[in-house]
């Protein structure tokens, strides 16, 4: 049975991550820590021998993907569908500022509501567009190959959940991905998509296959 592997990789740290500021689709670059995280993660992911490398076109994801491209020789394909959730009027604010100035919207977001308000993209729309991009990435590799997708935290979780067919309530039980950590999915004709690993990264205890 041929199994295709899909790695859904969150970008490295940014100054807005460090400040607890809502990035959404603001084009914030990696900071020095994030750049090093990308290099450290790439040294592990290259061992999976990816056949395709796809990234959000936002700089923090694209530059994360570039660290792996440098080791594999692969070109990075950019896909706007892999962008982070659009957070509308929240972008640039800290969560404390959102809670203070937009309390009703913040309460709906904290409760996991699909529609938050304030121009925030719905979870359903987010999940559909990211899942479409993830499926396209998997389709871009030969059967049994590995595709690596560099994206964002909320985008990764919602897109993976949509691809797996999980209800929103189940998806909320997953912790947020750490910077430069990833989700591993597998697909075969008989079982479809399955979750193989979650929140794996340079500082994870889960072993990564040695170079071959």
């Amino acid at each position: 049975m041929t199994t295709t592997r899909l790695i859904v990789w969150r970008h490295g740290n940014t100054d807005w991550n460090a400040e607890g500021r809502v990035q959404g689709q603001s084009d914030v670059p990696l900071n020095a820590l994030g750049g090093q995280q990308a290099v450290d993660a790439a040294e592990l992911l290259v061992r999976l021998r990816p056949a395709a490398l796809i990234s959000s076109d936002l700089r923090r994801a694209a530059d994360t993907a570039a660290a792996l491209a440098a080791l594999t020789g692969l070109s990075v394909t950019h896909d706007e569908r892999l962008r982070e959730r659009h957070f509308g009027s929240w972008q640039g604010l800290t969560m404390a500022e959102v809670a203070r100035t937009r309390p009703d919207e913040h309460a709906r977001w904290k409760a996991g509501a699909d529609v938050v308000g304030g121009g925030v993209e719905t979870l359903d729309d987010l999940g559909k567009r990211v899942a479409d991009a993830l499926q396209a990435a998997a389709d871009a590799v030969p059967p049994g190959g590995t595709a690596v997708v560099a994206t964002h935290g909320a985008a990764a979780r919602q897109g993976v959940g949509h691809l797996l067919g999980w209800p929103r309530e189940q998806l909320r039980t997953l912790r947020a991905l750490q910077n430069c950590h990833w989700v591993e999915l597998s697909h075969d004709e008989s079982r479809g998509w399955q979750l193989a690993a979650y929140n794996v990264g340079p500082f994870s205890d889960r072993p990564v296959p040695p170079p071959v």
Side-chain angles (χ1 to χ4, degrees):
M1 186 183 305
T2 302
T3 300
T4 299
R5 180 165 49 194
L6 181 64
I7 303 297
V8 186
W9 185 21
R10 188 188 177 196
H11 62 79
N13 193 262
T14 71
D15 287 344
W16 281 25
N17 283 147
E19 295 166 5
R21 203 168 292 282
V22 180
Q23 295 181 116
Q25 295 187 5
S26 300
D27 203 7
V28 183
L30 297 177
N31 57 24
L33 172 60
Q36 185 59 55
Q37 289 174 333
V39 170
D40 292 343
E43 289 175 350
L44 300 179
L45 288 171
V46 71
R47 304 179 189 181
L48 302 181
R49 306 172 83 176
L53 181 52
I54 303 95
S55 172
S56 158
D57 62 338
L58 297 178
R59 282 183 293 172
R60 57 191 184 272
D63 289 348
T64 297
L68 182 55
L71 298 181
T72 61
L74 294 170
S75 298
V76 181
T77 301
H78 298 110
D79 189 335
E80 292 183 6
R81 294 175 296 179
L82 293 169
R83 287 184 177 187
E84 180 58 293
R85 185 180 189 181
H86 184 63
F87 274 93
S89 301
W90 295 25
Q91 293 181 177
L93 302 177
T94 65
M95 272 302 175
E97 290 169 337
V98 173
R100 185 175 68 251
T101 62
R102 313 180 79 90
D104 292 343
E105 294 170 11
H106 183 265
R108 287 192 288 271
W109 169 79
K110 197 169 182 180
D114 181 34
V115 179
V116 170
V120 178
E121 184 176 10
T122 69
L123 290 173
D124 189 53
D125 285 348
L126 173 65
K128 286 177 179 176
R129 71 166 167 84
V130 177
D132 284 348
L134 296 179
Q135 184 64 62
D139 291 342
V141 300
T146 296
V148 176
V149 173
T151 184
H152 308 264
R157 183 163 62 177
Q158 208 65 33
V160 164
H162 197 87
L163 201 62
L164 292 169
W166 287 8
R168 195 160 63 247
E169 295 74 19
Q170 182 178 0
L171 195 53
R172 278 173 54 79
T173 65
L174 291 177
R175 292 181 59 186
L177 281 178
Q178 298 178 59
N179 284 118
C180 253
H181 282 53
W182 58 85
V183 183
E184 181 181 333
L185 300 171
S186 63
H187 183 275
D188 63 58
E189 290 185 1
S190 66
R191 292 172 293 191
W193 284 107
Q194 293 189 305
L195 180 66
Y198 187 84
N199 234 345
V200 183
F203 313 110
S204 170
D205 292 332
R206 184 175 182 270
V208 176
V212 292

